[in-house]
Amino acid sequence: MKKYNYILGLSIIASSLFSCGNDNGKADGYGNFEATEITISAENSGKLMQFHVNEGDIVQKEAFLGYIDTIPLTLKREQLEVSKAVISSKSKGVLSQISVLNSKLKTANTNKIRVENLIKDNAGTQKQLDDVTGEINVIKQQIRSVEIQNAPVVNELKSIDVQLKQIDDQIQKSKIINPINGTVLTKYAEPNEITSFGKPLYKIANLITMQLRVYISETQLSNIKIGQEVTVKIDNVDTMKSYKGIISWIASEAEFTPKIIQTKEERVALVYAVKVDVKNDGGLKIGMPAELWINTAE
């Protein structure tokens, strides 16, 4: 009898220990791995002169991968520079006139001060002051007239400067610069092809950290939080391979379970989407199915 009670006690203790975790043999969530994919498109039109990238390549951020033909843009820039030089030569003549008039205005202002001082000493007349003031007004009107004549030339020069900046921007955008660290998933173009603005060149994604999107029930929601460590399992040869994961996002609203969930009963239930960041050792691929196991034993 004592031996029976001893065995029964051990059984109860073992049952209580196993009940702390997920003892039903089922994962807490199912889903598939995904990554943020970015499609890099051409920002200019023309012949693809160089394009050094292949599917599977790991490329660094700001890496130069090739360029689109810039000869037409360069020729257009040279043409604008010539036009600017011609217009500037016209403007120089007008500016020289303004310079002469400004010099006369400065002399006239000096004479006005002298006459005002003479009047204070009773050595000058009001007529002398009026003559100098009238001369100053005439010079100012002449300066305004020349400036009005020069305004279209100045605006034209400003317009050319804006066009030159646009050309420089297009030349810069003819370079294919990789925007993020990642792995090339798909290549859409080849060297010597004619491309156009907005045409896809390649698709890239950062596969160093993969995201597992899973769906959990409302009852499981209280067991998880952002930043929590969980276990992620994928199919291996004979057993399941485990990874450490960190919950990075939890949906704020419930939704009907996607069809990737196995049973019909689960597919009609409301669930919450969860994203888990998992460090990729090279074995995780986009679209690969996986299981989420919440470490409730902790």
Side-chain angles (χ1 to χ4, degrees):
M1 185 66 178
K2 289 182 178 180
K3 185 176 181 181
Y4 173 77
N5 291 335
Y6 177 73
I7 294 173
L8 181 61
L10 288 178
S11 300
I12 294 172
I13 293 173
S15 299
S16 62
L17 287 174
F18 281 111
S19 65
C20 295
N22 186 350
D23 62 347
N24 59 7
K26 289 181 62 178
D28 295 294
Y30 302 90
N32 297 82
F33 280 106
E34 58 184 33
T36 302
E37 301 177 6
I38 299 177
T39 300
I40 310 302
S41 302
E43 295 185 75
N44 206 352
S45 299
K47 187 176 182 180
L48 196 57
M49 302 301 291
Q50 291 184 11
F51 191 40
H52 304 299
V53 66
N54 293 298
E55 294 180 358
D57 287 352
I58 299 176
V59 290
Q60 301 299 315
K61 183 179 180 180
E62 303 298 331
F64 176 77
L65 302 181
Y67 70 95
I68 299 169
D69 186 15
T70 58
I71 292 178
L73 292 172
T74 304
L75 293 174
K76 187 175 181 180
R77 195 185 195 286
E78 291 179 358
Q79 184 181 9
L80 288 171
E81 289 284 5
V82 172
S83 299
K84 183 179 179 181
V86 173
I87 297 171
S88 295
S89 64
K90 296 179 182 178
S91 180
K92 286 178 181 178
V94 177
L95 292 174
S96 63
Q97 294 179 40
I98 294 176
S99 179
V100 172
L101 291 171
N102 281 327
S103 180
K104 288 183 178 181
L105 181 62
K106 183 178 179 181
T107 302
N109 284 323
T110 302
N111 291 334
K112 181 181 179 182
I113 294 172
R114 288 174 181 171
V115 172
E116 288 174 343
N117 290 331
L118 289 173
I119 292 175
K120 289 179 182 178
D121 297 332
N122 295 321
T125 64
Q126 184 64 38
K127 183 178 182 305
Q128 290 176 310
L129 181 60
D130 293 339
D131 291 341
V132 174
T133 302
E135 183 183 359
I136 290 174
N137 292 333
V138 170
I139 294 173
K140 286 182 178 179
Q141 288 178 358
Q142 290 176 338
I143 291 175
R144 291 193 196 98
S145 177
V146 174
E147 286 176 343
I148 291 172
Q149 295 175 13
N150 193 48
V153 178
V154 173
N155 290 335
E156 196 169 353
L157 286 173
K158 290 181 180 179
S159 174
I160 290 178
D161 286 335
V162 171
Q163 293 179 62
L164 287 171
K165 289 180 180 179
Q166 290 175 338
I167 292 293
D168 290 339
D169 180 63
Q170 288 180 328
I171 291 175
Q172 181 62 32
K173 288 180 177 178
S174 294
K175 301 176 183 178
I176 303 170
I177 307 297
N178 185 55
I180 64 168
N181 297 323
T183 302
V184 177
L185 304 178
T186 310
K187 182 179 180 181
Y188 299 112
E190 296 292 340
N192 298 315
E193 289 185 0
I194 302 298
T195 187
S196 58
F197 180 84
K199 182 179 178 181
L201 298 176
Y202 66 99
K203 184 186 291 184
I204 189 171
N206 188 346
L207 303 183
I208 296 176
T209 299
M210 302 287 287
Q211 285 188 323
L212 175 65
R213 178 187 285 268
V214 296
Y215 299 87
I216 63 171
S217 64
E218 187 176 5
T219 56
Q220 295 171 305
L221 195 61
S222 59
N223 294 328
I224 64 170
K225 60 183 179 179
I226 293 177
Q228 178 179 339
E229 183 176 317
V230 295
T231 300
V232 173
K233 295 183 180 182
I234 64 171
D235 293 329
N236 207 351
V237 180
D238 297 320
T239 182
M240 301 289 285
K241 185 177 181 180
S242 298
Y243 291 85
K244 183 178 74 173
I246 302 294
I247 295 176
S248 60
W249 175 79
I250 302 173
S252 58
E253 295 182 359
E255 59 182 290
F256 284 104
T257 313
K259 292 182 179 180
I260 59 170
I261 302 301
Q262 280 73 9
T263 65
K264 182 178 179 181
E265 291 77 10
E266 289 175 318
R267 286 202 299 270
V268 297
L270 284 172
V271 293
Y272 289 84
V274 176
K275 288 184 180 180
V276 181
D277 290 343
V278 182
K279 194 75 173 178
N280 190 3
D281 59 357
L284 304 180
K285 310 296 180 185
I286 296 176
M288 178 182 288
E291 299 177 356
L292 168 69
W293 294 74
I294 301 173
N295 304 325
T296 54
E298 297 178 0

